[in-house]
Amino acid sequence: MQKPSEDEIRSFAKKIGAVDGNGDYTEPRNKLAAGALEYRKEHAKQADEQPDGTTAEQLHRLAEELSPLFDREVALDLLVAIAPALVRRQGLQLNPKGTRTHE
């Protein structure tokens, strides 16, 4: 993975309170760089785990994928069968940021 940029390091340092009033680091820079890299990895992992859009948006995309493959009735039956499993697996996503609102 690519080394963190100075902007990433500074942003991470500010998040953890490792910047003094003059803007200087209060921790060793190499330690902050390692922390910024770890923060980036964790953030990327969380983003990968987040569902893409609301439950309705996900089901709509699935319906669009199924419609050319099956007749309308079969596609709808599949969608209705899949919806409860989707909600059980990730909760009901009501906002596009992926916040679970119901489990």
Side-chain angles (χ1 to χ4, degrees):
M1 187 170 258
Q2 185 179 356
K3 291 180 181 181
S5 67
E6 189 61 36
D7 288 341
E8 282 181 285
I9 296 169
R10 182 155 301 281
S11 175
F12 176 73
K14 286 179 181 177
K15 279 182 184 23
I16 65 167
V19 178
D20 66 19
N22 296 324
D24 297 323
Y25 298 135
T26 59
E27 296 287 329
R29 187 183 178 286
N30 61 344
K31 207 173 171 183
L32 293 171
L37 183 60
E38 196 60 37
Y39 179 80
R40 183 197 309 158
K41 287 179 187 177
E42 185 60 33
H43 187 69
K45 180 181 172 187
Q46 289 175 356
D48 287 343
E49 293 171 355
Q50 292 290 335
D52 189 21
T54 66
T55 301
E57 291 167 339
Q58 292 175 57
L59 291 171
H60 178 74
R61 283 193 302 275
L62 180 58
E64 288 177 339
E65 290 178 29
L66 293 174
S67 63
L69 304 174
F70 302 99
D71 68 45
R72 181 173 161 72
E73 188 174 325
V74 172
L76 184 58
D77 287 345
L78 284 169
L79 195 62
V80 169
I82 291 169
L86 179 68
V87 173
R88 275 193 305 274
R89 185 176 58 102
Q90 68 185 29
L92 181 61
Q93 308 296 324
L94 294 178
N95 70 46
K97 295 185 191 235
T99 302
R100 290 182 180 186
T101 57
H102 181 285
E103 292 192 38

